[in-house]
Amino acid sequence: GQNIDQPTEMTATEGAIVQINCTYQTSGFNGLFWYQQHAGEAPTFLSYNVLDGLEEKGRFSSFLSRSKGYSYLLLKELQMKDSASYLCAAMDSNYQLIWGAGTKLIIKP
Amino acid sequence: DGGITQSPKYLFRKEGQNVTLSCEQNLNHDAMYWYRQDPGQGLRLIYYSQIVNDFQKGDIAEGYSVSREKKESFPLTVTSAQKNPTAFYLCASIPDGDVQPQHFGDGTRLSIL
């Protein structure tokens, strides 16, 4: 079957670095997406990886290892506004997204 | 500005009632999607449409119906057959072509009276 796993909740301190992990099993693979979702709002796109390696976008970076079925989202210089849920989604061979349950990130001052 | 508009933002359903959630986009996107999100769970696909007058069932289509008469519009009807409709409903679209991120509307929160 198809499956995405990510931690339910993480806590970090303002100004610090946090890494949110995601493992996936899909029928075929056409890339992995990370989205940010604030409570009661729609998800917003953060990053897309289809090749192995690290993609950096400002304070946010995303890493992919296709052989391990593994990705992580790295958030640096954490700000209070980064408190949100982070959703991992893998695209299968039919170009459909399989979504993880999301990781709720709590930032403490 | 281009975007996806969902309405209403909040909706209440009585027992035995059908309700329709609106989703309109002016992005000229071909594919449109409806997802359901429950607390602590990922997005689950209800229906999707890749072209006008055609749509496909997702993982949890039972109790729901859709239409795609116009490219811009993809309304979702929650029928009385859906016994547990309380959830956050999200509409999304993507352009045709290479792999692209989905754009989402602001969502509709549906509750039972």
Side-chain angles (χ1 to χ4, degrees):
Chain A
Q2 306 199 101
N3 192 50
I4 303 278
D5 283 316
Q6 51 181 132
T8 303
E9 187 174 295
M10 298 182 71
T11 301
T13 304
E14 191 177 13
I17 299 173
V18 71
Q19 178 175 310
I20 302 174
N21 296 325
C22 169
T23 58
Y24 63 89
Q25 286 181 299
T26 54
S27 302
F29 180 74
N30 280 299
L32 189 125
F33 292 82
W34 283 96
Y35 282 80
Q36 180 190 61
Q37 185 178 27
H38 285 100
E41 298 181 8
T44 55
F45 170 70
L46 290 176
S47 68
Y48 170 67
N49 295 66
V50 66
L51 300 176
D52 285 355
L54 187 69
E55 296 271 350
E56 297 187 70
K57 267 189 192 180
R59 293 190 299 116
F60 292 8
S61 303
S62 56
F63 171 83
L64 177 68
S65 169
R66 293 177 64 133
S67 62
K68 295 182 179 177
Y70 167 70
S71 173
Y72 68 72
L73 181 70
L74 191 72
L75 291 74
K76 303 176 186 176
E77 300 170 15
L78 285 170
Q79 301 175 10
M80 297 304 293
K81 68 178 182 180
D82 297 330
S83 292
S85 287
Y86 292 85
L87 310 179
C88 170
M91 182 169 278
D92 68 12
S93 57
N94 294 319
Y95 295 93
Q96 297 302 326
L97 286 176
I98 312 302
W99 293 84
T103 298
K104 183 177 180 181
L105 178 63
I106 299 168
I107 310 295
K108 294 186 175 180
Chain B
D1 284 356
I4 302 177
T5 301
Q6 288 187 241
S7 63
K9 192 170 177 66
Y10 299 95
L11 186 59
F12 297 90
R13 196 193 87 169
K14 295 179 182 177
E15 290 283 341
Q17 186 182 40
N18 293 354
V19 292
T20 297
L21 284 60
S22 170
C23 178
E24 303 279 331
Q25 55 101 356
N26 59 5
L27 300 165
N28 200 34
H29 288 176
D30 291 301
M32 297 185 74
Y33 300 78
W34 273 107
Y35 291 98
R36 170 180 172 143
Q37 188 175 33
D38 293 278
Q41 296 192 34
L43 277 64
R44 292 186 289 167
L45 183 63
I46 305 173
Y47 269 98
Y48 66 100
S49 168
Q50 294 180 311
I51 195 169
V52 174
N53 292 323
D54 187 50
F55 47 83
Q56 307 296 327
K57 291 183 179 179
D59 301 320
I60 56 164
E62 187 173 347
Y64 300 96
S65 67
V66 293
S67 63
R68 187 86 187 275
E69 296 176 1
K70 299 185 299 182
K71 188 174 185 176
E72 312 81 61
S73 179
F74 192 40
L76 173 74
T77 296
V78 184
T79 75
S80 57
Q82 173 49 247
K83 298 306 180 188
N84 183 24
T86 298
F88 189 46
Y89 290 86
L90 287 160
C91 179
S93 70
I94 55 171
D96 201 13
D98 292 338
V99 174
Q100 300 276 350
Q102 293 189 356
H103 298 249
F104 286 88
D106 288 337
T108 292
R109 191 165 297 280
L110 176 62
S111 303
I112 294 185
L113 280 177

